[in-house]
Amino acid sequence: MYNIQCVRACAVDCITYCLSLVTAIPRQDANIFPEYIVPSLAKLVQDPCVLVRQALAENVSTIAHTAQRFLDWSLHNGYFSSREYDVELKNLCDSLQQVVTLLIMDPSNAVKRTFMHNTHGHLWTFFGLARANDLIMTHLITYLNDNQDYQLRRDFFECLHSNALMIGPYQGDIILPLLMQCMNDSEEWVVVSSIGALIAMCKEDIFSNAQLLTVLSVTLPLLLHPNAIIRQSIVHLVCGVCELLDPVDVLASVRPLMVPYLAESHLAIDYTNELCVLSSLTSCIPRRLWRTLLSFNDLRAALDKMRAGLQHPRLGLTKFLEASMPSGNLADDKTLRRVMALGLDPSLVSAVLCLEQHLLGVHSHKRATLQGGGAAGDGGSSDDRGEIQVLSSEVCGRSDLPEIFRFSLSGPGTSPSSGMHHRGSGHTVGGSGGTTSPPDDWPLAYHVSRGATPSSGGTGPSSGTPAVAEPGGESAGSPFPPAGRVVSAAHDTAAVPSVSESALRQVVIGRHRQHQLLSRYPAPPATASQPAAQPWQPAGVLISHLHEHTARIHRLCAVESTSLFASASHDGTVRIWDAQRTDKDTPINRSKGVYGRLGSSVRSLAACPSHHSIAAASDNGNIHVFRLDKLSMLCDRVLDKEEDVFAVDMAFYDTGCGESVVVYASVTGGVVGWDLRQPGTAWRFNNGPKNGLITSLMVDRDSNFLAVGTNKGSITCWDIRFQLPITQIKHENGHHIRRLAKNPCDSRTAFAAVTGNNEVGLWELDTNYRRQTLWASPKEPLKHKEVSSKNINGVCVGALGTGEEACDVFVITGGSDCCLRYWDLARPQMSKVIGHAAIDHPSYPDASYREVRAELGGNTVIVEDRQSSSHRKDLSVMGGNPWVMPSSNPADLYDPHRPASGHKDSITDVIMVDSPQRLVVSSDAMGVVKIWK
């Protein structure tokens, strides 16, 4: 099917190119465009493949130019009279207007971006300035309302220069408000693009002198922005404006505006020299302070406090801020303390207040992005009840598209309603995966007729057979469990196949934003008529004991949306297991397949669901990517013995377009992105030697960042899109980072397991603040003077609840004390030990858990309380112990063929498999894999 789609797309390119080469036509072909070519190409606007619609959007401007050239040639050669020419041109304009309108309103943002990048003067010449402005420019402006796709907003400004020159004599009055509005965009790359468009239009002398001075007064505060590219762009704008103005206007108008942002205001500066202006600027706001300020719930009130503290006659700034707490808003008080800990001084507060309007605009836009998934450019609508209604097919001119359903934030049981989803694009109507995405039990319950049409009222299908999503069927690592509600399907025998991986990725992003909103504004407690669903908890029942590996298991890996998982061992093999068999009477006891071509100990694993493959790395420098079904190698790579040696950890990064990148961290500190479509390296980051050796890697494909942990307690984050380091976190005692895991309900945080005291910390990556700590040690919490030798080696994170309640996080850990622990972060008293060590006595007391507040930093600690280890008896006197085999020989304990209820050696990794039910899988240093429920 993909090849067929490529053929249709290439056919559009070929037809456009061939027609552009035609210089003369016979009389009988004078009407070939309005009668044959345009009607044939117009059908492609409703093609289910995004690639074909992109090809049409790329060539529509050239097609319009060629069509007009054919008509002009026919008129010149006497094929048409002047009246016939006008009639034919009007019919041609009407036909192409329908094509252009549907392309501009296409549900895929990829098509919209392609149209913008390939829209030039031909279309304005063909339609005329007035008609082109009403048809094209008025629709392109609506793209700025799409809060969910920053690339669409960025591309608008990148293409704005060429389009603005065609608007007419009043370009400045139309475009300037758009540019000023997007200076406060929460995505900094959009701000850079808008400044670039502003600079380009200033050079074309579009704006008057008064408008130029207005632009400077609004944009000059960005000279204090922490982004160096934004500061350099503003300096470039200042120098460009000063070149257009008279020297008198520069001294009288520009220089007073620049004084607050100069380190030495009394010096004479050449404002047309960029290097001179850059070297004269005062210091900018630190990035850490910037991120902390944007995390306020009420930023305006916080800035008012800083302003009042700066102007208070008796109290200093710090004392005034301390006296203003508590304010009734605990979250903002906590954030204000973090701001004060960064070292506020009057000069820094003055710089923050200079950026007040920009900060408030970015903060407002950021909150609108998280809360307003159904924005104007989003293709959907939302009301106060939290219901999101996807537009019907009549609105977008699509009549042959399948239905999907409305879903609600108000809770399960909401009746579904009609909507639209375009299968080929991988996006919901109007964008790049906002809150109009379907719930994540859609692949289980989506059985809708391809030819089904929405009802006139838009309230849903009138009849159908209910399909219920089974509980426990949520995908591994997903930031939310399935909605768990009944969905009605349209009454038809033809079923629509499941959506592509890119569409599922958009579902994850959209639903993730919903849960971020719900975590801030939790739903009211359930009433008696609607009891709250019980959150999932592991029972700690062992259902399978797998012992095919002959050496230590280094890593486990679950394949999303399947029942498969893999294990990598020191014996040089990767074994594939199927948890589906645990539903049957006979538990799983044999592997599904074995891959042993790496030639050495296998250190790390990563699963790629879109390719149904596994990537494995060994300590001899080999990396193999092989298919799960046939165990055949797809591609491989041998690392350089001097540059990388071997990979210590790896993960898959899905770009959302079906393109998978294998990300691996090497012993020498390199973090490499390997695009499977090409033999070379896509990108490479270097974690300096001063940070230590990389020990763990985490990739968040929804937020486009990765993080690495080192043996010196350092966590470094990079932005994958811009390939720049974002932040660095340092453990206060420099303890070894053993494992990193992302938080499925909040992409701004991550879990880090460190050496000693069975310690796991939840860190805020943007503020470097440790929010919560898990502590399973008899030592005093967060007192590292005495360190326990027990370490956490495996961390698995999931979300509690179903549907909209899936905002509470739980953690399952396993480590060197051979115990599996379940941690409920929202309800610490519900935490428990789900798997004791094999050497624990049957009367070993259950652990209790409590939450305390640390003395330093104010973060909370969940502490495990247990009695002393005297209950771990000598093995020689435990003949009747059901936890171990009845034998007086202690060596029997380490026989892998004699299964015990718990692990006999250190637990090396922990994962969850969510199909057919949620199961916990653990491995240990003896090569044993255990499955729990």
Side-chain angles (χ1 to χ4, degrees):
M1 175 61 72
Y2 178 75
N3 294 331
I4 297 175
Q5 297 167 357
C6 290
V7 169
R8 295 203 304 272
C10 292
V12 176
D13 296 333
C14 184
I15 290 172
T16 305
Y17 177 72
C18 292
L19 289 173
S20 65
L21 299 178
V22 177
T23 57
I25 57 174
R27 179 181 294 272
Q28 61 270 21
D29 293 335
N31 295 327
I32 188 172
F33 262 95
E35 293 181 357
Y36 178 69
I37 294 179
V38 173
S40 299
L41 293 177
K43 299 177 182 178
L44 299 179
V45 179
Q46 298 183 359
D47 194 281
C49 177
V50 177
L51 189 63
V52 178
R53 303 202 305 275
Q54 280 185 280
L56 182 60
E58 182 179 359
N59 294 288
V60 66
S61 182
T62 305
I63 292 171
H65 174 68
T66 306
Q68 186 174 15
R69 185 169 57 85
F70 273 39
L71 288 179
D72 293 341
W73 194 91
S74 300
L75 176 64
H76 179 72
N77 288 273
Y79 295 170
F80 294 139
S81 63
S82 298
R83 180 175 298 179
E84 291 174 339
Y85 173 83
D86 293 338
V87 173
E88 292 296 334
L89 182 60
K90 182 180 182 303
N91 294 335
L92 184 62
C93 288
D94 293 340
S95 300
L96 281 176
Q97 180 176 346
Q98 296 179 5
V99 174
V100 171
T101 302
L102 292 176
L103 288 175
I104 293 175
M105 299 175 62
D106 194 273
S108 172
N109 284 357
V111 178
K112 296 177 181 178
R113 293 195 296 268
T114 304
F115 179 82
M116 281 194 297
H117 280 285
N118 294 275
T119 301
H120 42 75
H122 290 327
L123 278 182
W124 264 266
T125 304
F126 180 77
F127 288 114
L129 287 180
R131 190 172 184 176
N133 290 337
D134 295 338
L135 173 63
I136 299 176
M137 200 62 192
T138 54
H139 284 90
L140 295 183
I141 291 174
T142 62
Y143 293 172
L144 298 178
N145 297 325
D146 192 340
N147 292 331
Q148 309 302 322
D149 190 353
Y150 82 93
Q151 293 181 351
L152 188 65
R153 306 194 302 273
R154 180 199 64 187
D155 290 351
F156 173 84
F157 290 109
E158 290 182 353
C159 304
L160 180 60
H161 178 219
S162 60
N163 293 332
L165 297 179
M166 300 295 172
I167 294 178
Y170 302 106
Q171 304 99 318
D173 296 335
I174 297 175
I175 297 174
L176 189 57
L178 302 177
L179 293 168
M180 295 299 99
Q181 171 190 345
C182 291
M183 288 295 174
N184 296 332
D185 199 288
S186 59
E187 187 65 42
E188 295 177 1
W189 199 246
V190 178
V191 179
V192 172
S193 299
S194 62
I195 298 173
L198 194 58
I199 294 172
M201 286 184 287
C202 287
K203 293 180 179 179
E204 298 293 339
D205 202 14
I206 291 178
F207 304 118
S208 63
N209 287 356
Q211 289 175 328
L212 291 176
L213 294 177
T214 303
V215 167
L216 288 183
S217 63
V218 174
T219 57
L220 282 180
L222 296 180
L223 292 172
L224 301 173
H225 199 283
N227 191 316
I229 301 178
I230 292 180
R231 296 198 304 273
Q232 293 173 7
S233 300
I234 295 297
V235 170
H236 187 39
L237 174 64
V238 171
C239 295
V241 170
C242 291
E243 290 178 356
L244 297 175
L245 297 176
D246 294 334
V248 176
D249 293 334
V250 173
L251 293 176
S253 302
V254 177
R255 188 177 183 279
L257 295 176
M258 286 288 298
V259 167
Y261 311 105
L262 300 177
E264 300 291 339
S265 58
H266 60 278
L267 296 179
I269 299 174
D270 181 7
Y271 289 102
T272 60
N273 189 328
E274 293 186 25
L275 183 59
C276 181
V277 176
L278 275 174
S279 60
S280 303
L281 294 178
T282 185
S283 57
C284 63
I285 295 177
R287 172 63 72 175
R288 187 178 299 179
L289 176 60
W290 177 270
R291 290 175 179 157
T292 309
L293 289 172
L294 291 179
S295 64
F296 275 102
N297 291 328
D298 190 353
L299 178 59
R300 187 182 298 275
L303 294 177
D304 291 340
K305 289 181 182 179
M306 295 181 189
R307 183 184 295 105
L310 199 61
Q311 300 173 354
H312 199 276
R314 291 183 295 103
L315 296 177
L317 174 65
T318 304
K319 292 183 178 180
F320 181 85
L321 294 178
E322 290 177 350
S324 66
M325 295 181 290
S327 62
N329 191 334
L330 297 179
D332 280 359
D333 288 345
K334 190 175 182 180
T335 306
L336 185 58
R337 290 190 182 94
R338 295 209 303 265
V339 170
M340 295 169 60
L342 296 176
L344 282 183
D345 56 72
S347 61
L348 191 57
V349 173
S350 300
V352 170
L353 294 178
C354 287
L355 268 172
E356 178 179 6
Q357 295 303 320
H358 180 69
L359 276 168
L360 292 174
V362 173
H363 184 264
S364 176
H365 190 274
K366 187 175 182 180
R367 292 178 66 87
T369 302
L370 294 176
Q371 302 175 8
D378 217 25
S381 61
S382 63
D383 58 272
D384 293 336
R385 296 171 298 173
E387 294 180 352
I388 300 168
Q389 173 66 54
V390 182
L391 290 177
S392 62
S393 59
E394 289 84 1
V395 174
C396 294
R398 297 299 208 24
S399 60
D400 61 339
L401 299 176
E403 290 181 321
I404 59 169
F405 313 108
R406 178 177 65 181
F407 57 96
S408 171
L409 300 181
S410 57
T414 304
S415 61
S417 68
S418 65
M420 182 182 71
H421 184 275
H422 188 256
R423 294 170 54 211
S425 66
H427 298 273
T428 55
V429 176
S432 59
T435 55
T436 56
S437 302
D440 53 329
D441 54 353
W442 181 24
L444 299 177
Y446 181 34
H447 299 287
V448 186
S449 166
R450 180 178 176 82
T453 56
S455 60
S456 59
T459 56
S462 58
S463 63
T465 304
V468 183
E470 294 187 11
E474 50 281 34
S475 59
S478 171
F480 49 88
R485 59 173 65 89
V486 178
V487 181
S488 299
H491 183 69
D492 202 301
T493 56
V496 175
S498 61
V499 295
S500 62
E501 181 68 14
S502 60
L504 292 179
R505 185 66 55 237
Q506 301 303 327
V507 174
V508 171
I509 296 173
R511 297 289 286 180
H512 178 51
R513 292 192 179 100
Q514 295 179 29
H515 289 294
Q516 285 182 333
L517 171 62
L518 289 169
S519 63
R520 296 185 179 183
Y521 303 96
T527 60
S529 59
Q530 185 180 353
Q534 292 296 326
W536 175 85
Q537 276 194 352
V541 177
L542 180 66
I543 59 175
S544 290
H545 174 92
L546 315 173
H547 52 86
E548 289 190 20
H549 284 293
T550 59
R552 179 188 183 93
I553 296 177
H554 292 294
R555 190 58 61 93
L556 297 173
C557 176
V559 183
E560 293 183 13
S561 305
T562 70
S563 60
L564 301 178
F565 67 93
S567 57
S569 174
H570 195 74
D571 60 11
T573 64
V574 177
R575 295 186 179 269
I576 312 299
W577 311 86
D578 189 356
Q580 184 75 31
R581 298 178 58 185
T582 56
D583 265 0
K584 302 179 181 179
D585 296 336
T586 304
I588 173 175
N589 55 13
R590 296 192 62 181
S591 60
K592 187 180 179 68
V594 182
Y595 186 86
R597 304 177 187 176
L598 288 160
S600 185
S601 172
V602 185
R603 293 286 180 177
S604 56
L605 282 177
C608 178
S610 59
H611 289 87
H612 202 62
S613 59
I614 291 284
S618 61
D619 57 9
N620 60 1
N622 289 333
I623 300 179
H624 289 188
V625 181
F626 60 91
R627 291 186 58 84
L628 286 169
D629 49 0
K630 301 179 181 179
L631 296 179
S632 58
M633 185 172 64
L634 295 176
C635 50
D636 66 333
R637 167 174 285 200
V638 180
L639 304 187
D640 187 85
K641 296 298 183 183
E642 296 182 357
E643 183 180 18
D644 291 321
V645 187
F646 67 88
V648 295
D649 204 352
M650 64 193 316
F652 263 103
Y653 171 62
D654 194 338
T655 61
C657 302
E659 305 168 359
S660 292
V661 177
V662 178
V663 183
Y664 61 87
S666 66
V667 175
T668 57
V671 183
V672 182
W674 171 29
D675 194 335
L676 297 182
R677 301 171 302 168
Q678 56 187 7
T681 296
W683 39 262
R684 182 185 184 91
F685 306 142
N686 289 316
N687 193 49
K690 64 179 181 180
N691 297 327
L693 300 178
I694 297 179
T695 56
S696 183
L697 168 70
M698 179 194 73
V699 176
D700 191 326
R701 55 194 175 193
D702 298 329
S703 299
N704 298 300
F705 77 89
L706 63 85
V708 295
T710 69
N711 65 338
K712 292 185 178 180
S714 174
I715 302 175
T716 307
C717 301
W718 278 276
D719 191 311
I720 301 178
R721 299 167 298 177
F722 304 115
Q723 301 183 15
L724 294 173
I726 303 174
T727 185
Q728 187 175 49
I729 301 172
K730 184 74 174 180
H731 190 272
E732 60 269 23
N733 288 84
H735 288 175
H736 181 127
I737 305 296
R738 308 188 70 88
R739 191 64 55 90
L740 293 174
K742 67 178 183 178
N743 187 346
C745 295
D746 188 355
S747 60
R748 300 172 302 170
T749 60
F751 291 89
V754 301
T755 295
N757 295 319
N758 282 334
E759 177 186 351
V760 179
L762 176 60
W763 294 86
E764 294 182 359
L765 301 178
D766 51 353
T767 61
N768 299 359
Y769 175 72
R770 180 164 53 187
R771 180 187 300 178
Q772 202 167 21
T773 305
L774 311 181
W775 190 272
S777 171
K779 308 299 181 182
E780 188 176 355
L782 297 184
K783 299 292 185 179
H784 296 92
K785 296 180 179 180
E786 297 181 3
V787 180
S788 169
S789 61
K790 304 302 181 182
N791 306 317
I792 295 294
N793 299 322
V795 178
C796 180
V797 186
L800 285 173
T802 59
E804 288 76 30
E805 298 177 359
C807 18
D808 293 336
V809 178
F810 69 87
V811 182
I812 298 178
T813 61
S816 57
D817 60 356
C818 309
C819 291
L820 274 177
R821 293 177 174 86
Y822 167 84
W823 306 82
D824 190 330
L825 272 59
R827 295 166 291 273
Q829 67 277 6
M830 302 297 292
S831 304
K832 62 181 180 179
V833 177
I834 60 176
H836 288 269
I839 61 174
D840 286 343
H841 194 274
S843 60
Y844 196 89
D846 291 332
S848 60
Y849 295 83
R850 57 188 172 90
E851 187 175 33
V852 299
R853 185 170 295 276
E855 297 179 1
L856 297 177
N859 61 323
T860 59
V861 185
I862 301 179
V863 182
E864 179 188 76
D865 293 326
R866 298 179 100 176
Q867 296 183 11
S868 63
S869 58
S870 59
H871 285 79
R872 290 196 172 184
K873 302 295 183 179
D874 184 74
L875 298 177
S876 60
V877 298
M878 296 173 57
N881 182 9
W883 289 70
V884 295
M885 296 304 296
S887 172
S888 59
N889 185 6
D892 289 343
L893 180 66
Y894 298 95
D895 182 6
H897 301 287
R898 302 173 69 89
S901 297
H903 284 282
K904 301 177 181 179
D905 207 337
S906 297
I907 297 176
T908 56
D909 204 358
V910 180
I911 61 171
M912 280 192 305
V913 180
D914 289 342
S915 179
Q917 58 180 323
R918 179 171 283 183
L919 303 172
V920 179
V921 183
S922 58
S923 62
D924 63 23
M926 295 181 64
V928 174
V929 177
K930 291 180 180 290
I931 303 179
W932 314 74
K933 69 175 181 180

